[in-house]
Amino acid sequence: MRIVLFGAPGTGKGTQSEKLVAEFGVPQISTGDLLRQAVADGTELGKRAKAAMDAGELVSDDVVIGMIRERLNEPDTGNGFILDGFPRSLTQAEALDELLADMGRPIQAVIHLEVDNEEIVQRLLDRGRADDNEDTIRNRLQVFQNQTQPLIEYYRQQGKFTAVDGMGTVDEIYARIKDALPA
Ligand code: AP5
């Protein structure tokens, strides 16, 4: 299984990835988690990323592409992976395609979790992570619209894009995702 779970902040990418990991035994690769770990560890990369994350802006493509390249080369990705929160820009999507083509392991499906913006804001305010204040949430949504949404067309043209209704209970949404998985 080599899939991208795609969606705006708070659409449930992390929540649904956990269920896929438990059922299919492939790792979840979340650039947000990797970046938060780097910030917590106080690495040079973490120091560079922190301001962008606090503001809800994208961390630079070079940084996240480098992180993903390293992570995809680890042995636990041999049977596949779930990408969560990556790619988020056209440059990242093109770099990913190139990287996976070199490995002979292209992405099979991109699953878009669609959730109303007001529901997203409510979910994230309820969660309360460091970047879950209303101003930053609204900026993250704007950044998604401007920089990430163009990937829908990119993957549609590759015939890999599926939209899934991300409203409802976690289990209802999970059932829809399973229906959308590649055979
Ligand atoms: P990242 O960590 O990727 O955050 P995000 O995309 O904003 O996503 P979230 O973790 O907020 O949401 P999610 O879709 O995973 O939803 P979740 O399951 O947690 O990125 C953070 C920052 O890092 C970015 O702003 C950027 O600065 C940087 N970054 C990361 N990747 C990058 C990249 N590729 N390029 C550049 N910069 C990058 O659910 C959210 C909440 O809702 C939870 O509390 C959950 O319990 C709840 N919930 C889930 N499902 C449901 C449901 N069905 N009903 C009710 N509540 C639900």
Side-chain angles (χ1 to χ4, degrees):
M1 178 192 292
R2 296 184 301 274
I3 63 167
V4 174
L5 266 196
F6 184 83
T11 47
K13 303 181 297 292
T15 303
Q16 298 295 336
S17 291
E18 267 179 40
K19 294 181 75 71
L20 289 164
V21 169
E23 181 164 350
F24 296 97
V26 294
Q28 165 202 16
I29 302 179
S30 155
T31 39
D33 288 347
L34 292 171
L35 287 165
R36 275 184 292 280
Q37 190 60 51
V39 171
D41 293 345
T43 66
E44 226 15 75
L45 187 153
K47 285 179 194 152
R48 279 169 57 201
K50 188 172 184 313
M53 294 173 76
D54 286 345
E57 296 291 331
L58 293 187
V59 173
S60 80
D61 287 330
D62 288 355
V63 167
V64 287
I65 291 167
M67 267 180 5
I68 281 286
R69 182 177 291 119
E70 230 173 80
R71 183 65 187 86
L72 286 174
N73 274 307
E74 287 177 28
D76 66 337
T77 63
N79 288 329
F81 47 80
I82 300 152
L83 289 173
D84 158 7
F86 181 93
R88 258 165 142 110
S89 68
L90 219 40
T91 305
Q92 292 179 21
E94 287 166 354
L96 177 67
D97 276 351
E98 209 172 298
L99 181 62
L100 293 178
D102 287 347
M103 297 171 139
R105 302 191 300 168
I107 288 293
Q108 297 163 307
V110 175
I111 298 174
H112 182 196
L113 295 176
E114 294 183 322
V115 177
D116 297 346
N117 274 4
E118 290 317 307
E119 161 86 10
I120 287 177
V121 173
Q122 201 48 56
R123 284 186 191 179
L124 295 181
L125 288 175
D126 287 347
R127 180 176 64 181
R129 200 171 71 192
D131 55 348
D132 287 340
N133 58 78
E134 185 142 6
D135 284 350
T136 306
I137 295 168
R138 300 243 176 237
N139 193 40
R140 283 155 67 198
L141 288 171
Q142 197 62 50
V143 166
F144 176 80
Q145 194 179 321
N146 296 343
Q147 299 185 54
T148 310
Q149 208 134 279
L151 297 189
I152 293 176
E153 195 46 39
Y154 179 83
Y155 286 115
R156 211 172 248 149
Q157 282 181 11
Q158 293 190 3
K160 294 179 179 173
F161 183 81
T162 313
V164 162
D165 180 1
M167 303 282 285
T169 69
V170 170
D171 287 341
E172 283 166 351
I173 299 160
Y174 186 60
R176 293 178 202 136
I177 291 175
K178 287 219 303 187
D179 284 343
L181 289 177

